[in-house]
């Protein structure tokens, strides 16, 4: 399965997908990386790995539809079958989302449906929840919404601040994003009645209770 990764910045999730492909644990080929930000650090990860890149800056287009039209052309030219958003900081229109329905995934740094949007770690700390985490989901037109594929829970520790929490959540993002993409590419993910069904997940049961002692 040919996949494209859309980024706007650092690209650490892109790097986790590149690493998974390099160790043979991603049954997909990262065929294209698109950034809407020229010189995004993540582009360097792609270039180092020999993956074709394109910069499609939203600033070069009159409106979102034209911007997405250019992205769509690049995806179609590269015969992309699955689009992975990885820190892509532009909202997508219904028309793009519907066109790629069930072939467009995102990673979000919270346990959805809690803490949609930005500043998830600050908001989880302010809310006093015991766990936060990250979610890989299919994209629907409402922001940070759509059938959940995988989630990882991360306990919130007494001394956490937003940075320490973000770092521990990011470690889990780097585990579950490649896993989810591999499950999709190997045909183990079905969407039925708006929910994801997983065939042969092959993951250990790992209940967590926090505080644990
Ligand atoms: C990640 O925290 C991801 O969950 C969110 O944006 C951030 C992107 O980080 N959607 P990176 O560019 O992959 O390092």
């Amino acid at each position: 399965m040919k996949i494209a990764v859309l980024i706007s910045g650092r690209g650490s999730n892109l790097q986790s997908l590149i690493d998974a492909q390099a160790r043979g644990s991603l049954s997909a080929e990262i065929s294209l990386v698109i950034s809407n930000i020229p010189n995004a650090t993540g582009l360097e990860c792609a270039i180092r790995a020999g993956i074709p890149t394109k910069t499609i800056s939203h600033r070069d287009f009159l409106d979102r539809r034209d911007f997405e039209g250019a992205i769509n052309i690049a995806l179609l030219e590269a015969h992309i079958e699955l689009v992975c958003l990885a820190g892509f900081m532009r909202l997508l229109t219904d028309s793009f989302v519907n066109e790629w329905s069930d072939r467009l995934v995102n990673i979000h740094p919270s346990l959805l449906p809690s803490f949609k949007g930005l500043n998830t770690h600050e908001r989880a700390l302010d809310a006093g929840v015991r766990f936060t985490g990250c979610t890989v989901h299919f994209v629907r037109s409402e922001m940070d919404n759509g059938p959940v594929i995988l989630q990882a829970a991360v306990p919130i520790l007494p001394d956490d601040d937003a940075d320490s929490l973000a770092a521990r959540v990011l470690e889990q993002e780097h585990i579950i994003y490649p896993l989810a993409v591999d499950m999709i590419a190997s045909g183990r993910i079905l969407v039925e009645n708006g929910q994801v069904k997983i065939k042969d997940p092959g993951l250990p049961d790992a209940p967590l209770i926090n505080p644990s002692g």
Side-chain angles (χ1 to χ4, degrees):
M1 178 179 273
K2 284 175 178 287
I3 68 173
V5 185
L6 271 54
I7 62 167
S8 299
R10 177 177 60 179
S12 70
N13 278 289
L14 164 64
Q15 186 63 53
S16 76
L17 292 165
I18 292 171
D19 293 344
Q21 185 180 318
R23 41 169 208 274
S25 46
L26 194 73
S27 39
E29 178 198 326
I30 308 167
S31 306
L32 179 63
V33 170
I34 298 177
S35 172
N36 68 309
I37 303 289
N39 307 320
T41 318
L43 287 170
E44 289 160 28
C45 306
I47 291 164
R48 266 199 307 274
I51 299 166
T53 62
K54 266 195 180 6
T55 298
I56 302 179
S57 169
H58 54 284
R59 294 181 192 281
D60 293 341
F61 298 88
L62 284 178
D63 59 23
R64 280 206 289 167
R65 279 180 194 273
D66 284 356
F67 168 58
E68 289 172 3
I71 293 179
N72 230 343
I73 288 170
L75 296 173
L76 297 175
E77 278 176 359
H79 305 288
I80 297 302
E81 299 166 87
L82 177 72
V83 179
C84 304
L85 306 180
F88 183 68
M89 300 303 283
R90 304 302 297 175
L91 288 177
L92 295 165
T93 62
D94 290 1
S95 120
F96 185 91
V97 168
N98 292 335
E99 180 155 357
W100 287 92
S101 187
D102 296 345
R103 297 179 301 142
L104 176 62
V105 293
N106 181 44
I107 183 144
H108 181 76
S110 77
L111 291 175
L112 290 174
S114 292
F115 307 119
K116 297 176 180 181
L118 297 175
N119 304 320
T120 54
H121 306 302
E122 287 87 340
R123 286 156 57 218
L125 288 167
D126 288 348
V129 293
R130 293 285 179 198
F131 285 103
T132 184
C134 47
T135 303
V136 182
H137 64 98
F138 285 109
V139 175
R140 295 291 184 261
S141 36
E142 192 192 318
M143 185 186 63
D144 297 328
N145 191 37
V148 169
I149 304 166
L150 285 184
Q151 293 185 306
V154 174
I156 294 184
L157 305 179
D159 293 333
D160 265 333
D161 60 20
D163 289 343
S164 63
L165 189 52
R168 290 207 315 289
V169 171
L170 196 63
E171 280 176 27
Q172 299 304 313
E173 293 183 37
H174 296 164
I175 295 169
I176 67 168
Y177 210 3
L179 270 176
V181 171
D182 183 60
M183 286 177 167
I184 296 167
S186 56
R188 282 180 287 154
I189 300 286
L190 299 174
V191 183
E192 281 176 13
N193 303 322
Q195 294 203 353
V196 166
K197 306 283 175 227
I198 303 181
K199 290 192 277 175
D200 309 322
L203 301 171
D205 272 345
L208 290 175
I209 297 173
N210 179 29
S212 58

